[in-house]
Amino acid sequence: MEQPTKPTDTNTDETTVNQPGINSEPEPAPIGAAETAIQIENDDSYKLIFSIEVSRRYNLHMARGFRRLGQLTKLFTIMGGSAAFVGLLNQTQAITPWVGLVGTFVLTFATALDIVYGFDAASFEHRKLARDYTDLLRRHKSGEDTKNLTQDYYYIEANEQAGLKAVMNASHNQALRNMGYTGDEYEEYAVKVRWWQYPLFIVF
């Protein structure tokens, strides 16, 4: 993924408004990302801050997505359990046993998904990573040395699991917009998101 250089025409009077990337839900405002595009002193520092902003956004989306998946599995668990209970209580009608059978299947499947993937735990882990990246941006705003920030960034990144490329690409594009890229500059560095990847963004 190509790292951008500083935009040539950055508006210093106002912060770029976030445009919808993965979905239209509000998210926490970045810590000094737009200002960083103006105050940056060299390309290495600029690329580091951009990478941190992309990672921060990615983990916010992943935390939100896993939270939603956890909620869905709980919903299906309740529905499946209720259907199975109804099937056990009333077996006088021909369709009722099938209701119980389907309910049992849904209950088992949803429970297995939650056990195997641990959606709540995954959401918590991504929220923690997002906080770690946000802290790096705060430290940069306070004037901390770029070398220390780089070391800590790679340390945090090393603890991340393999990510979803589509969500990472969308986070990359959101960070570009937030840091002042528009028009041809945005088109040059933006990553294309395929049409078949968009259903994933309903959750994430």
Side-chain angles (χ1 to χ4, degrees):
M1 186 178 296
E2 185 178 5
Q3 292 284 357
T5 56
K6 191 189 331 181
T8 55
D9 294 315
T10 303
N11 188 345
T12 59
D13 295 327
E14 59 180 343
T15 301
T16 304
V17 177
N18 290 339
Q19 300 177 12
I22 295 181
N23 51 48
S24 58
E25 287 193 9
E27 63 175 86
I31 307 300
E35 295 89 342
T36 299
I38 303 164
Q39 298 172 356
I40 218 72
E41 295 179 354
N42 58 71
D43 287 344
D44 289 339
S45 179
Y46 184 82
K47 291 175 181 178
L48 170 65
I49 298 306
F50 180 81
S51 297
I52 293 173
E53 177 64 12
V54 172
S55 297
R56 186 188 76 88
R57 288 174 174 274
Y58 170 79
N59 282 285
L60 285 173
H61 284 299
M62 294 298 290
R64 181 166 51 200
F66 279 121
R67 185 180 68 248
R68 289 175 177 172
L69 288 173
Q71 292 170 342
L72 283 174
T73 55
K74 289 178 176 62
L75 173 63
F76 284 121
T77 298
I78 294 172
M79 293 174 60
S82 299
F85 185 67
V86 169
L88 288 175
L89 285 182
N90 185 5
Q91 297 187 8
T92 58
Q93 299 182 15
I95 194 174
T96 307
W98 288 102
V99 172
L101 182 62
V102 172
T104 302
F105 173 78
V106 171
L107 172 63
T108 304
F109 183 72
T111 304
L113 275 180
D114 197 27
I115 292 174
V116 172
Y117 292 102
F119 296 126
D120 289 339
S123 178
F124 176 81
E125 181 64 25
H126 282 287
R127 286 200 304 272
K128 180 180 180 301
L129 288 167
R131 288 195 298 269
D132 291 341
Y133 286 120
T134 301
D135 184 60
L136 290 182
L137 292 175
R138 288 198 181 99
R139 287 163 55 188
H140 175 265
K141 288 282 290 182
S142 67
E144 187 168 339
D145 183 64
T146 301
K147 182 178 180 180
N148 293 336
L149 296 176
T150 303
Q151 291 175 344
D152 289 346
Y153 168 73
Y154 285 127
Y155 176 77
I156 297 171
E157 189 181 47
N159 290 323
E160 288 192 64
Q161 297 181 353
L164 294 176
K165 187 173 179 60
V167 179
M168 181 63 77
N169 288 347
S171 300
H172 175 94
N173 293 344
Q174 285 182 334
L176 283 174
R177 287 192 293 266
N178 189 71
M179 298 181 76
Y181 290 86
T182 57
D184 292 339
E185 287 182 329
Y186 174 80
E187 293 299 327
E188 179 181 357
Y189 294 111
V191 180
K192 185 175 181 179
V193 178
R194 307 293 180 181
W195 66 267
W196 51 266
Q197 294 174 328
Y198 280 99
L200 183 67
F201 303 153
I202 296 174
V203 177
F204 291 91

